Amino acid sequence: MPTPRYIHLNGSLVPWDDARIHVMTPCVKYGALVFEGLRSYWNEDEGQLYVLKLGEHLRRFHQTLRVVRFDGNWSDETLTEGLIALLRANEVRQDVHMRIAAWVDGDGLYDSTGPCGLMMAAYGRGSGALEKKVATAGVTSWRRINDTAMPPRLKVAANYHNGRLGILEARANGYREAIFLTPEGKLAEGAGACLFVVRDGVAMTPPVTDGILESVTRRAVLGLLDELGVPIAQRSIDRTELYFAEEAFFCGTGVEIQPISAVDGLELGCPAPGPVTRALWDRYEAVARGRVPDHDDWRLAVYPSATG
Ligand SMILES: Cc1ncc(COP(=O)(O)O)c(C=O)c1O
């Protein structure tokens, strides 16, 4: 996708290159930024673009803004209208990744809570074929941040420094992705995605109290696996259970469903993508793109008619 024409900045659509903030903002100086990553899926047959699970993303956005005590407050209606207007102005007719972010603007210090800026952007980040996403992973020696200091439940940019340390170490060790353990040594999540482990036919994922972001996709995956008849368990998982697994995959808005082939150089039981991961992806993609009528409450149509 070429560079989009417009970006939403503080209530207006501005040319992409004009969306700037000052280097002395608390956002730049201290990482005072809250964000959401979302996706829209293009349905070619219907000529329609669907925003996936906007309501859940906005809910988490508001929850985080409240806890970090930002002054900025935007209603769901304002955010939804702004996002739809942006997608239409850019005439988006393909899969896109989107970002909604609020930050502390002005020239304050690390205790500033305003004024706040708001941006929304939609840009090309195609939805990849499952086979192309297969990745090796390594358990990083950096532990996951936790609720006593840097709550992973809050979607703040500063948390991603932990993710960066892990993934850069994993890459240096020859793996594509990183898996974090909690300080207690239980599986937490990836640098930018949640983790599922399929062992003896049961799809297990760490509970929301084991150092993870409360992921919109994780919740969707739990529902879809249940519909597919796969037994599910939300429980603390030991590192060695991962080595015994038939399958493992990451899930998140960005990575969608990402199969893991090996962890720490140990191949998993099934060649990736394994059958559970495959069936899940087929179902997830069909629902996200509106190829099946089910879960229509997950999708928000961007264009007023089928012809767009
Ligand atoms: C650390 C982390 N965990 C999990 C996820 C998945 O969350 P979601 O499914 O809401 O995109 C993300 C992605 O955004 C993430 O950054």
Side-chain angles (χ1 to χ4, degrees), residues 236-280:
S236 293
I237 305 172
D238 285 335
R239 177 175 183 167
T240 43
E241 292 188 272
L242 192 49
Y243 303 144
F244 287 4
E246 297 102 68
E247 301 177 44
F249 58 86
F250 292 113
C251 75
T253 302
V255 303
E256 304 171 302
I257 307 297
Q258 182 177 29
I260 299 171
S261 55
V263 180
D264 294 338
L266 298 169
E267 300 282 331
L268 301 191
C270 293
V276 171
T277 313
R278 169 95 261 163
L280 171 68

mmCIF file of all heavy atoms in Angstrom, residues 236-280:
data_model
loop_
_atom_site.group_PDB
_atom_site.id
_atom_site.type_symbol
_atom_site.label_atom_id
_atom_site.label_comp_id
_atom_site.label_asym_id
_atom_site.label_seq_id
_atom_site.Cartn_x
_atom_site.Cartn_y
_atom_site.Cartn_z
ATOM 1 N N SER A 236 -1.836 -21.564 34.603
ATOM 2 C CA SER A 236 -0.391 -21.337 34.567
ATOM 3 C C SER A 236 0.281 -22.517 33.877
ATOM 4 O O SER A 236 -0.096 -23.674 34.096
ATOM 5 C CB SER A 236 0.152 -21.205 35.989
ATOM 6 O OG SER A 236 -0.355 -20.023 36.569
ATOM 7 N N ILE A 237 1.261 -22.204 33.049
ATOM 8 C CA ILE A 237 1.920 -23.239 32.244
ATOM 9 C C ILE A 237 3.422 -23.204 32.518
ATOM 10 O O ILE A 237 4.037 -22.128 32.533
ATOM 11 C CB ILE A 237 1.658 -23.011 30.733
ATOM 12 C CG1 ILE A 237 0.142 -22.937 30.465
ATOM 13 C CG2 ILE A 237 2.298 -24.112 29.889
ATOM 14 C CD1 ILE A 237 -0.214 -22.517 29.042
ATOM 15 N N ASP A 238 3.992 -24.392 32.738
ATOM 16 C CA ASP A 238 5.434 -24.486 32.941
ATOM 17 C C ASP A 238 6.179 -24.435 31.607
ATOM 18 O O ASP A 238 5.642 -24.831 30.571
ATOM 19 C CB ASP A 238 5.787 -25.810 33.638
ATOM 20 C CG ASP A 238 5.444 -25.800 35.119
ATOM 21 O OD1 ASP A 238 5.390 -24.691 35.707
ATOM 22 O OD2 ASP A 238 5.237 -26.883 35.672
ATOM 23 N N ARG A 239 7.429 -24.027 31.685
ATOM 24 C CA ARG A 239 8.252 -23.927 30.477
ATOM 25 C C ARG A 239 8.382 -25.277 29.770
ATOM 26 O O ARG A 239 8.279 -25.369 28.543
ATOM 27 C CB ARG A 239 9.637 -23.407 30.896
ATOM 28 C CG ARG A 239 10.624 -23.314 29.761
ATOM 29 C CD ARG A 239 11.905 -22.688 30.275
ATOM 30 N NE ARG A 239 12.868 -22.510 29.221
ATOM 31 C CZ ARG A 239 13.960 -21.757 29.353
ATOM 32 N NH1 ARG A 239 14.205 -21.115 30.477
ATOM 33 N NH2 ARG A 239 14.802 -21.639 28.347
ATOM 34 N N THR A 240 8.586 -26.348 30.537
ATOM 35 C CA THR A 240 8.808 -27.649 29.894
ATOM 36 C C THR A 240 7.545 -28.189 29.228
ATOM 37 O O THR A 240 7.628 -29.013 28.319
ATOM 38 C CB THR A 240 9.344 -28.685 30.900
ATOM 39 O OG1 THR A 240 8.616 -28.568 32.121
ATOM 40 C CG2 THR A 240 10.827 -28.496 31.162
ATOM 41 N N GLU A 241 6.370 -27.710 29.648
ATOM 42 C CA GLU A 241 5.138 -28.137 28.963
ATOM 43 C C GLU A 241 5.156 -27.683 27.510
ATOM 44 O O GLU A 241 4.596 -28.341 26.634
ATOM 45 C CB GLU A 241 3.920 -27.576 29.678
ATOM 46 C CG GLU A 241 3.686 -28.173 31.045
ATOM 47 C CD GLU A 241 2.353 -27.731 31.620
ATOM 48 O OE1 GLU A 241 2.312 -26.682 32.274
ATOM 49 O OE2 GLU A 241 1.355 -28.439 31.398
ATOM 50 N N LEU A 242 5.793 -26.550 27.294
ATOM 51 C CA LEU A 242 5.919 -26.026 25.928
ATOM 52 C C LEU A 242 6.750 -26.993 25.077
ATOM 53 O O LEU A 242 6.432 -27.255 23.923
ATOM 54 C CB LEU A 242 6.596 -24.655 26.037
ATOM 55 C CG LEU A 242 6.667 -23.704 24.882
ATOM 56 C CD1 LEU A 242 5.323 -23.506 24.217
ATOM 57 C CD2 LEU A 242 7.169 -22.357 25.403
ATOM 58 N N TYR A 243 7.812 -27.533 25.660
ATOM 59 C CA TYR A 243 8.668 -28.463 24.910
ATOM 60 C C TYR A 243 7.936 -29.778 24.604
ATOM 61 O O TYR A 243 8.275 -30.474 23.660
ATOM 62 C CB TYR A 243 9.941 -28.780 25.701
ATOM 63 C CG TYR A 243 10.777 -27.566 26.074
ATOM 64 C CD1 TYR A 243 11.440 -27.511 27.296
ATOM 65 C CD2 TYR A 243 10.927 -26.492 25.205
ATOM 66 C CE1 TYR A 243 12.219 -26.423 27.655
ATOM 67 C CE2 TYR A 243 11.691 -25.391 25.560
ATOM 68 C CZ TYR A 243 12.331 -25.367 26.784
ATOM 69 O OH TYR A 243 13.095 -24.277 27.125
ATOM 70 N N PHE A 244 6.957 -30.136 25.430
ATOM 71 C CA PHE A 244 6.199 -31.383 25.226
ATOM 72 C C PHE A 244 5.009 -31.185 24.286
ATOM 73 O O PHE A 244 4.301 -32.133 23.986
ATOM 74 C CB PHE A 244 5.631 -31.889 26.570
ATOM 75 C CG PHE A 244 6.645 -32.487 27.502
ATOM 76 C CD1 PHE A 244 7.997 -32.497 27.221
ATOM 77 C CD2 PHE A 244 6.227 -33.058 28.705
ATOM 78 C CE1 PHE A 244 8.924 -33.041 28.101
ATOM 79 C CE2 PHE A 244 7.136 -33.619 29.590
ATOM 80 C CZ PHE A 244 8.492 -33.607 29.293
ATOM 81 N N ALA A 245 4.750 -29.935 23.850
ATOM 82 C CA ALA A 245 3.518 -29.630 23.116
ATOM 83 C C ALA A 245 3.525 -30.197 21.705
ATOM 84 O O ALA A 245 4.579 -30.352 21.085
ATOM 85 C CB ALA A 245 3.335 -28.118 23.054
ATOM 86 N N GLU A 246 2.312 -30.486 21.202
ATOM 87 C CA GLU A 246 2.176 -30.840 19.784
ATOM 88 C C GLU A 246 2.246 -29.583 18.922
ATOM 89 O O GLU A 246 2.795 -29.564 17.837
ATOM 90 C CB GLU A 246 0.818 -31.485 19.494
ATOM 91 C CG GLU A 246 0.517 -32.797 20.175
ATOM 92 C CD GLU A 246 -0.419 -32.623 21.369
ATOM 93 O OE1 GLU A 246 -1.601 -32.286 21.188
ATOM 94 O OE2 GLU A 246 0.074 -32.839 22.494
ATOM 95 N N GLU A 247 1.600 -28.519 19.434
ATOM 96 C CA GLU A 247 1.517 -27.266 18.672
ATOM 97 C C GLU A 247 1.612 -26.103 19.644
ATOM 98 O O GLU A 247 1.276 -26.245 20.830
ATOM 99 C CB GLU A 247 0.153 -27.120 17.961
ATOM 100 C CG GLU A 247 -0.178 -28.216 16.989
ATOM 101 C CD GLU A 247 -1.578 -28.025 16.379
ATOM 102 O OE1 GLU A 247 -1.920 -26.880 16.010
ATOM 103 O OE2 GLU A 247 -2.309 -29.020 16.280
ATOM 104 N N ALA A 248 2.023 -24.980 19.125
ATOM 105 C CA ALA A 248 1.950 -23.734 19.895
ATOM 106 C C ALA A 248 1.770 -22.608 18.876
ATOM 107 O O ALA A 248 2.208 -22.729 17.720
ATOM 108 C CB ALA A 248 3.207 -23.512 20.723
ATOM 109 N N PHE A 249 1.098 -21.561 19.302
ATOM 110 C CA PHE A 249 0.955 -20.412 18.397
ATOM 111 C C PHE A 249 0.800 -19.129 19.202
ATOM 112 O O PHE A 249 0.359 -19.143 20.349
ATOM 113 C CB PHE A 249 -0.218 -20.596 17.421
ATOM 114 C CG PHE A 249 -1.566 -20.801 18.065
ATOM 115 C CD1 PHE A 249 -2.360 -19.725 18.436
ATOM 116 C CD2 PHE A 249 -2.041 -22.082 18.313
ATOM 117 C CE1 PHE A 249 -3.599 -19.915 19.028
ATOM 118 C CE2 PHE A 249 -3.289 -22.286 18.915
ATOM 119 C CZ PHE A 249 -4.066 -21.203 19.269
ATOM 120 N N PHE A 250 1.213 -18.040 18.566
ATOM 121 C CA PHE A 250 0.951 -16.708 19.111
ATOM 122 C C PHE A 250 -0.369 -16.221 18.524
ATOM 123 O O PHE A 250 -0.748 -16.612 17.404
ATOM 124 C CB PHE A 250 2.043 -15.720 18.686
ATOM 125 C CG PHE A 250 3.394 -15.978 19.286
ATOM 126 C CD1 PHE A 250 4.459 -16.376 18.487
ATOM 127 C CD2 PHE A 250 3.617 -15.792 20.642
ATOM 128 C CE1 PHE A 250 5.723 -16.592 19.035
ATOM 129 C CE2 PHE A 250 4.870 -15.997 21.200
ATOM 130 C CZ PHE A 250 5.928 -16.402 20.393
ATOM 131 N N CYS A 251 -1.035 -15.331 19.249
ATOM 132 C CA CYS A 251 -2.213 -14.681 18.665
ATOM 133 C C CYS A 251 -2.237 -13.229 19.106
ATOM 134 O O CYS A 251 -1.834 -12.893 20.224
ATOM 135 C CB CYS A 251 -3.493 -15.405 19.054
ATOM 136 S SG CYS A 251 -4.015 -15.125 20.749
ATOM 137 N N GLY A 252 -2.688 -12.384 18.208
ATOM 138 C CA GLY A 252 -2.799 -10.957 18.504
ATOM 139 C C GLY A 252 -3.289 -10.252 17.256
ATOM 140 O O GLY A 252 -3.249 -10.829 16.165
ATOM 141 N N THR A 253 -3.723 -9.030 17.425
ATOM 142 C CA THR A 253 -4.236 -8.292 16.266
ATOM 143 C C THR A 253 -3.177 -8.205 15.168
ATOM 144 O O THR A 253 -3.467 -8.412 14.002
ATOM 145 C CB THR A 253 -4.655 -6.871 16.707
ATOM 146 O OG1 THR A 253 -5.630 -6.996 17.728
ATOM 147 C CG2 THR A 253 -5.205 -6.085 15.549
ATOM 148 N N GLY A 254 -1.950 -7.897 15.555
ATOM 149 C CA GLY A 254 -0.885 -7.734 14.567
ATOM 150 C C GLY A 254 -0.496 -9.038 13.908
ATOM 151 O O GLY A 254 -0.533 -9.173 12.685
ATOM 152 N N VAL A 255 -0.147 -10.040 14.711
ATOM 153 C CA VAL A 255 0.342 -11.320 14.144
ATOM 154 C C VAL A 255 -0.810 -12.200 13.696
ATOM 155 O O VAL A 255 -0.586 -13.200 13.017
ATOM 156 C CB VAL A 255 1.215 -12.105 15.154
ATOM 157 C CG1 VAL A 255 2.385 -11.270 15.624
ATOM 158 C CG2 VAL A 255 0.415 -12.627 16.341
ATOM 159 N N GLU A 256 -2.025 -11.871 14.082
ATOM 160 C CA GLU A 256 -3.226 -12.711 13.855
ATOM 161 C C GLU A 256 -2.984 -14.064 14.538
ATOM 162 O O GLU A 256 -2.876 -14.101 15.751
ATOM 163 C CB GLU A 256 -3.502 -12.822 12.353
ATOM 164 C CG GLU A 256 -3.660 -11.444 11.718
ATOM 165 C CD GLU A 256 -3.724 -11.491 10.227
ATOM 166 O OE1 GLU A 256 -2.775 -12.007 9.614
ATOM 167 O OE2 GLU A 256 -4.734 -11.006 9.655
ATOM 168 N N ILE A 257 -2.851 -15.140 13.741
ATOM 169 C CA ILE A 257 -2.489 -16.430 14.318
ATOM 170 C C ILE A 257 -1.115 -16.780 13.750
ATOM 171 O O ILE A 257 -0.945 -16.836 12.529
ATOM 172 C CB ILE A 257 -3.511 -17.540 13.934
ATOM 173 C CG1 ILE A 257 -4.945 -17.106 14.281
ATOM 174 C CG2 ILE A 257 -3.133 -18.872 14.590
ATOM 175 C CD1 ILE A 257 -5.222 -16.879 15.761
ATOM 176 N N GLN A 258 -0.127 -16.991 14.626
ATOM 177 C CA GLN A 258 1.236 -17.258 14.150
ATOM 178 C C GLN A 258 1.745 -18.589 14.709
ATOM 179 O O GLN A 258 2.011 -18.706 15.914
ATOM 180 C CB GLN A 258 2.181 -16.132 14.573
ATOM 181 C CG GLN A 258 3.593 -16.354 14.051
ATOM 182 C CD GLN A 258 4.537 -15.232 14.397
ATOM 183 O OE1 GLN A 258 4.364 -14.568 15.422
ATOM 184 N NE2 GLN A 258 5.528 -15.028 13.557
ATOM 185 N N PRO A 259 1.880 -19.600 13.832
ATOM 186 C CA PRO A 259 2.324 -20.909 14.314
ATOM 187 C C PRO A 259 3.791 -20.876 14.761
ATOM 188 O O PRO A 259 4.625 -20.186 14.170
ATOM 189 C CB PRO A 259 2.191 -21.814 13.077
ATOM 190 C CG PRO A 259 1.422 -21.018 12.067
ATOM 191 C CD PRO A 259 1.639 -19.577 12.381
ATOM 192 N N ILE A 260 4.091 -21.642 15.794
ATOM 193 C CA ILE A 260 5.466 -21.769 16.293
ATOM 194 C C ILE A 260 5.946 -23.178 15.954
ATOM 195 O O ILE A 260 5.271 -24.169 16.244
ATOM 196 C CB ILE A 260 5.501 -21.556 17.827
ATOM 197 C CG1 ILE A 260 4.993 -20.150 18.176
ATOM 198 C CG2 ILE A 260 6.914 -21.776 18.378
ATOM 199 C CD1 ILE A 260 4.789 -19.907 19.669
ATOM 200 N N SER A 261 7.117 -23.260 15.327
ATOM 201 C CA SER A 261 7.619 -24.573 14.889
ATOM 202 C C SER A 261 8.522 -25.219 15.940
ATOM 203 O O SER A 261 8.536 -26.441 16.088
ATOM 204 C CB SER A 261 8.385 -24.439 13.575
ATOM 205 O OG SER A 261 9.414 -23.478 13.722
ATOM 206 N N ALA A 262 9.283 -24.405 16.649
ATOM 207 C CA ALA A 262 10.250 -24.936 17.612
ATOM 208 C C ALA A 262 10.501 -23.888 18.679
ATOM 209 O O ALA A 262 10.390 -22.685 18.414
ATOM 210 C CB ALA A 262 11.564 -25.272 16.904
ATOM 211 N N VAL A 263 10.817 -24.360 19.877
ATOM 212 C CA VAL A 263 11.138 -23.440 20.978
ATOM 213 C C VAL A 263 12.505 -23.825 21.543
ATOM 214 O O VAL A 263 12.733 -25.005 21.869
ATOM 215 C CB VAL A 263 10.075 -23.490 22.096
ATOM 216 C CG1 VAL A 263 10.439 -22.518 23.211
ATOM 217 C CG2 VAL A 263 8.697 -23.180 21.553
ATOM 218 N N ASP A 264 13.379 -22.868 21.620
ATOM 219 C CA ASP A 264 14.745 -23.094 22.118
ATOM 220 C C ASP A 264 15.432 -24.215 21.339
ATOM 221 O O ASP A 264 16.183 -25.028 21.902
ATOM 222 C CB ASP A 264 14.716 -23.439 23.626
ATOM 223 C CG ASP A 264 14.244 -22.264 24.469
ATOM 224 O OD1 ASP A 264 14.350 -21.109 23.990
ATOM 225 O OD2 ASP A 264 13.766 -22.494 25.583
ATOM 226 N N GLY A 265 15.118 -24.313 20.051
ATOM 227 C CA GLY A 265 15.750 -25.322 19.209
ATOM 228 C C GLY A 265 15.108 -26.697 19.304
ATOM 229 O O GLY A 265 15.546 -27.625 18.630
ATOM 230 N N LEU A 266 14.075 -26.857 20.120
ATOM 231 C CA LEU A 266 13.379 -28.144 20.236
ATOM 232 C C LEU A 266 12.118 -28.108 19.372
ATOM 233 O O LEU A 266 11.227 -27.282 19.599
ATOM 234 C CB LEU A 266 13.001 -28.411 21.702
ATOM 235 C CG LEU A 266 14.174 -28.513 22.680
ATOM 236 C CD1 LEU A 266 13.670 -28.513 24.127
ATOM 237 C CD2 LEU A 266 14.998 -29.764 22.399
ATOM 238 N N GLU A 267 12.057 -28.999 18.380
ATOM 239 C CA GLU A 267 10.886 -29.053 17.496
ATOM 240 C C GLU A 267 9.654 -29.473 18.289
ATOM 241 O O GLU A 267 9.741 -30.358 19.146
ATOM 242 C CB GLU A 267 11.105 -30.103 16.394
ATOM 243 C CG GLU A 267 12.294 -29.862 15.489
ATOM 244 C CD GLU A 267 12.016 -28.789 14.437
ATOM 245 O OE1 GLU A 267 10.838 -28.646 14.045
ATOM 246 O OE2 GLU A 267 12.972 -28.091 14.050
ATOM 247 N N LEU A 268 8.518 -28.873 17.966
ATOM 248 C CA LEU A 268 7.276 -29.296 18.616
ATOM 249 C C LEU A 268 6.764 -30.581 17.951
ATOM 250 O O LEU A 268 7.277 -30.989 16.901
ATOM 251 C CB LEU A 268 6.234 -28.178 18.555
ATOM 252 C CG LEU A 268 6.681 -26.858 19.220
ATOM 253 C CD1 LEU A 268 5.513 -25.900 19.354
ATOM 254 C CD2 LEU A 268 7.315 -27.087 20.594
ATOM 255 N N GLY A 269 5.742 -31.194 18.559
ATOM 256 C CA GLY A 269 5.296 -32.523 18.130
ATOM 257 C C GLY A 269 4.792 -32.610 16.701
ATOM 258 O O GLY A 269 5.019 -33.594 16.013
ATOM 259 N N CYS A 270 4.070 -31.570 16.226
ATOM 260 C CA CYS A 270 3.523 -31.576 14.858
ATOM 261 C C CYS A 270 4.279 -30.556 14.018
ATOM 262 O O CYS A 270 4.585 -29.476 14.519
ATOM 263 C CB CYS A 270 2.070 -31.118 14.849
ATOM 264 S SG CYS A 270 0.933 -32.202 15.640
ATOM 265 N N PRO A 271 4.501 -30.871 12.743
ATOM 266 C CA PRO A 271 5.062 -29.829 11.873
ATOM 267 C C PRO A 271 4.095 -28.637 11.829
ATOM 268 O O PRO A 271 2.881 -28.833 11.746
ATOM 269 C CB PRO A 271 5.150 -30.503 10.500
ATOM 270 C CG PRO A 271 5.006 -31.972 10.757
ATOM 271 C CD PRO A 271 4.229 -32.126 12.027
ATOM 272 N N ALA A 272 4.633 -27.442 11.946
ATOM 273 C CA ALA A 272 3.767 -26.241 11.991
ATOM 274 C C ALA A 272 3.424 -25.775 10.564
ATOM 275 O O ALA A 272 4.280 -25.845 9.690
ATOM 276 C CB ALA A 272 4.482 -25.124 12.745
ATOM 277 N N PRO A 273 2.193 -25.324 10.335
ATOM 278 C CA PRO A 273 1.105 -25.233 11.294
ATOM 279 C C PRO A 273 0.437 -26.582 11.556
ATOM 280 O O PRO A 273 0.129 -27.303 10.621
ATOM 281 C CB PRO A 273 0.115 -24.272 10.621
ATOM 282 C CG PRO A 273 0.375 -24.391 9.155
ATOM 283 C CD PRO A 273 1.821 -24.737 9.018
ATOM 284 N N GLY A 274 0.204 -26.882 12.805
ATOM 285 C CA GLY A 274 -0.478 -28.116 13.174
ATOM 286 C C GLY A 274 -1.980 -28.010 12.923
ATOM 287 O O GLY A 274 -2.486 -26.940 12.601
ATOM 288 N N PRO A 275 -2.695 -29.115 13.072
ATOM 289 C CA PRO A 275 -4.124 -29.138 12.704
ATOM 290 C C PRO A 275 -5.004 -28.178 13.512
ATOM 291 O O PRO A 275 -5.927 -27.574 12.945
ATOM 292 C CB PRO A 275 -4.544 -30.598 12.949
ATOM 293 C CG PRO A 275 -3.442 -31.226 13.731
ATOM 294 C CD PRO A 275 -2.200 -30.442 13.485
ATOM 295 N N VAL A 276 -4.731 -28.013 14.788
ATOM 296 C CA VAL A 276 -5.558 -27.090 15.587
ATOM 297 C C VAL A 276 -5.301 -25.651 15.127
ATOM 298 O O VAL A 276 -6.230 -24.860 14.910
ATOM 299 C CB VAL A 276 -5.270 -27.253 17.100
ATOM 300 C CG1 VAL A 276 -5.962 -26.163 17.911
ATOM 301 C CG2 VAL A 276 -5.702 -28.634 17.577
ATOM 302 N N THR A 277 -4.025 -25.311 14.946
ATOM 303 C CA THR A 277 -3.662 -23.950 14.514
ATOM 304 C C THR A 277 -4.287 -23.652 13.145
ATOM 305 O O THR A 277 -4.830 -22.570 12.916
ATOM 306 C CB THR A 277 -2.124 -23.811 14.429
ATOM 307 O OG1 THR A 277 -1.547 -24.360 15.620
ATOM 308 C CG2 THR A 277 -1.715 -22.373 14.282
ATOM 309 N N ARG A 278 -4.218 -24.627 12.254
ATOM 310 C CA ARG A 278 -4.765 -24.475 10.897
ATOM 311 C C ARG A 278 -6.281 -24.230 10.945
ATOM 312 O O ARG A 278 -6.804 -23.297 10.326
ATOM 313 C CB ARG A 278 -4.449 -25.751 10.121
ATOM 314 C CG ARG A 278 -5.114 -25.950 8.823
ATOM 315 C CD ARG A 278 -4.248 -25.486 7.666
ATOM 316 N NE ARG A 278 -4.665 -24.150 7.251
ATOM 317 C CZ ARG A 278 -3.944 -23.322 6.512
ATOM 318 N NH1 ARG A 278 -2.726 -23.642 6.158
ATOM 319 N NH2 ARG A 278 -4.415 -22.169 6.149
ATOM 320 N N ALA A 279 -6.982 -25.104 11.681
ATOM 321 C CA ALA A 279 -8.445 -24.982 11.744
ATOM 322 C C ALA A 279 -8.845 -23.645 12.373
ATOM 323 O O ALA A 279 -9.787 -22.975 11.924
ATOM 324 C CB ALA A 279 -9.025 -26.146 12.554
ATOM 325 N N LEU A 280 -8.089 -23.236 13.390
ATOM 326 C CA LEU A 280 -8.387 -21.974 14.067
ATOM 327 C C LEU A 280 -8.216 -20.800 13.105
ATOM 328 O O LEU A 280 -9.057 -19.908 13.022
ATOM 329 C CB LEU A 280 -7.463 -21.808 15.282
ATOM 330 C CG LEU A 280 -7.532 -20.449 15.947
ATOM 331 C CD1 LEU A 280 -8.879 -20.243 16.630
ATOM 332 C CD2 LEU A 280 -6.403 -20.268 16.946
#
